[in-house]
Amino acid sequence: MSMPQSYDVSLLDEERYRLLVEAITDYAIYMLDADGRVASWNPGAQRFKGYEAWEILGEHFSRFYTNEDRLARVPERALRTAATEGRFESEGWHVRKDGSRFWAHAIIDPIWDRSGELLGFAKVTRDLTERRQAEAELRRSEQKFQLLVQGVTDYALYMLDPEGHVSNWNIGAERIKGYTAGEIVGKHFSQFYTEEDRERGEPERSLETAKREGRFEREGLRQRKDGTRFWAHVILDAIRSEDGELLGFAKITRDITEKVQAQKALTQAREELFQAQKMEAIGQLTGGVAHDFNNLLMAILGSLEILKKRLPNDPALKPLLDNAIQGAERGAALTQRMLAFSRRQELNMQAVDVPALVNGMMDFVQRSLGADTRIETRFPGRLSSVVTDPVQLETALLNLVVNARDAMTTGGLITIAAEEHVASERPAKLKPGRYIRLSVADTGEGMDPETLARATTPFFTTKGVGKGTGLGLSMVQGLTEQSGGKLAIESWKGKGTTVSLYMPVADSSDCPQSSETSMPSPTETPKGAFTILAVDDDALVLMNTTLMLEDLGHTVLEAYSGTEALETLRKGDHRVDLVITDHSMPRMTGSELASAIRDEWPDLPVVLATGYAELPSGGDNRLPRLPKPFSQNQLQEIVASVLGGGAAPGGAD
């Protein structure tokens, strides 16, 4: 049998208990005799049962139960359970004096005298109606809210003593924080804060604010038992007695991680959408003007090359011509770089000598830097070549150097270095093999871990609006991975950044060592003159193409459109060996012309000349390509490569 227990409750604890009960729940505490008749009645019982003491004393307590429970003999079973097991506890509907029902939590404890005789029962009833209704309403509200924000919100509700030690702990707190009540009660609440916040004195500051102003509310990072962090909305209320004495604090913590992440994702999505729309507009603009701009450069370069051949070797004129040709070639390179920002280019994979490539662009790089920025190169005496696109690698290095320059607001040192690495070292999770590590290091401000994690994200930039596209590092990463390697970034706040490109070492069977090695040798170059049909809707370009071909000894037929070209071929006045056609022409593109030629003259080769980095939709990527603007050497090379395989003159007549 269970014997009664006594509790030594301090006045302070009684006051806390009274404040807590009046704030949250009402209790009815009364006594029953051994038969279940009411023997005492407290004001709390009178308040929510509805009976005055003189009305209920001596009456059987079963009148508080519903008819259904009385018929099921629930009151008798409750007393019997309490007497035999030492306690009875249940929740269910009870009835007030006016007949209204309320949801009650009831506890019945037996009371024994010293000889073990049953004297009666102590009964505590708690009205849970409002809580039950609130829980049902909360469940309905949470279901609606979950549909709206696609998340669940939990609450940690617990008390702190005046010094900030946890005095009680609810299930929500256990779920959010990860501690059980036995692990955390009595511990200081500052252990929920991050180490950085503890060093700044945030826990103490929050208690002082709540003590001074009555309430403290803030959002910030908090720490769970397992060390993981979550974003929390915290409310801290001071609890005082009637005479104003501070009894402690009520603390509510809400996990809003999903909400904060959703807001950040939305903000980031908006920023990326803006950048994407801006870059799409730039891409459309550059794609539209590239053809016309390259045609202008084509006319300039072609005329300058022919002029250089035909002018006397005058020392006063030659430098001027060379400068003009170099300027036009730089304009062509600039166009290709602009196109690289707006659309992905097909890589021209070659074996590239890294030191030679870097040294070849140093003059241009130096002019891109300020007077207070120095640049150094560090290469070993012997270094294997890498497999990549040399033009795209040059563009990537230029992007990295510009980023390094921008990171050093007061100047500093940029170091371009290269060394060989073996994949077994796994510096960047590489596949087995030999790699060259090409790095660009600066002594700038560096990046924090959060910025470093997003550094290669397309359209992410720290340079501010209008100062960066956010595509530089993502382009470098794309080039490196397309080349079969990996990109690695090391950065420390205040100590600079090192960006490393791990690219595979070139094998002799991978690709030609340079563009010159892929050209037909003099013995492979087709002998004799050919009849070539040149097609272009731009008169300047067509004139220069004709001049360069005729200067090479070929006979040239001209056509200003695809329709005119077909008419020329169908006339049969000349046996045509090769067709070189522009792609972007009105009414019939170069690809469409090639298709028509293939239908009628399947053995007649066609070369597509275009200023686009990638052919627009509908272009025939199977055709040999001659990139605009092209030089006479490139023109000679494409003729040699297409007709050098034994094609007989006179493909169409």
Side-chain angles (χ1 to χ4, degrees), residues 113 120 167 211 226 270 274 296 333 353 399 421 502 581 601:
D113 65 9
S167 58
K211 186 187 301 184
D226 61 5
R270 285 173 176 167
F274 171 76
L296 294 174
D353 184 337
N399 278 327
H421 274 271
Y502 292 89
T581 177
W601 302 278

Side-chain angles (χ1 to χ4, degrees), residues 425-441:
E425 299 176 21
R426 303 190 68 79
K429 299 181 180 179
L430 297 168
K431 295 179 181 179
R434 293 167 56 220
Y435 293 83
I436 298 299
R437 175 181 178 249
L438 175 61
S439 62
V440 177

Side-chain angles (χ1 to χ4, degrees), residues 469-611:
T469 63
L471 282 174
L473 280 176
S474 62
M475 286 177 57
V476 176
Q477 183 182 44
L479 168 67
T480 310
E481 293 181 354
Q482 278 186 274
S483 301
K486 290 287 183 181
L487 179 73
I489 305 176
E490 299 173 285
S491 188
W492 302 267
K493 195 66 178 176
K495 296 183 179 180
T497 300
T498 300
V499 182
S500 299
L501 287 68
Y502 292 89
M503 292 179 290
V505 168
D507 188 278
S508 58
S509 61
D510 288 336
C511 49
Q513 288 295 315
S514 67
S515 59
E516 287 76 15
T517 60
S518 63
M519 292 176 59
S521 64
T523 57
E524 297 172 335
T525 302
K527 304 297 183 181
F530 294 96
T531 300
I532 299 175
L533 174 60
V535 187
D536 203 302
D537 62 322
D538 190 305
L540 293 176
V541 175
L542 187 58
M543 181 185 72
N544 278 274
T545 303
T546 300
L547 286 174
M548 287 190 289
L549 287 170
E550 289 178 343
D551 189 64
L552 293 172
H554 303 297
T555 299
V556 183
L557 306 177
E558 294 183 342
Y560 289 91
S561 67
T563 303
E564 186 177 339
L566 291 175
E567 291 175 354
T568 301
L569 291 172
R570 287 166 182 159
K571 286 180 181 178
D573 295 339
H574 299 83
R575 295 175 61 85
V576 177
D577 303 303
L578 175 65
V579 177
I580 300 177
T581 177
D582 182 30
H583 176 74
S584 295
M585 296 184 296
R587 292 183 293 279
M588 179 182 289
T589 66
S591 294
E592 292 170 342
L593 172 60
S595 178
I597 291 174
R598 191 182 303 116
D599 291 340
E600 296 191 43
W601 302 278
D603 296 328
L604 178 58
V606 178
V607 172
L608 204 62
T610 177

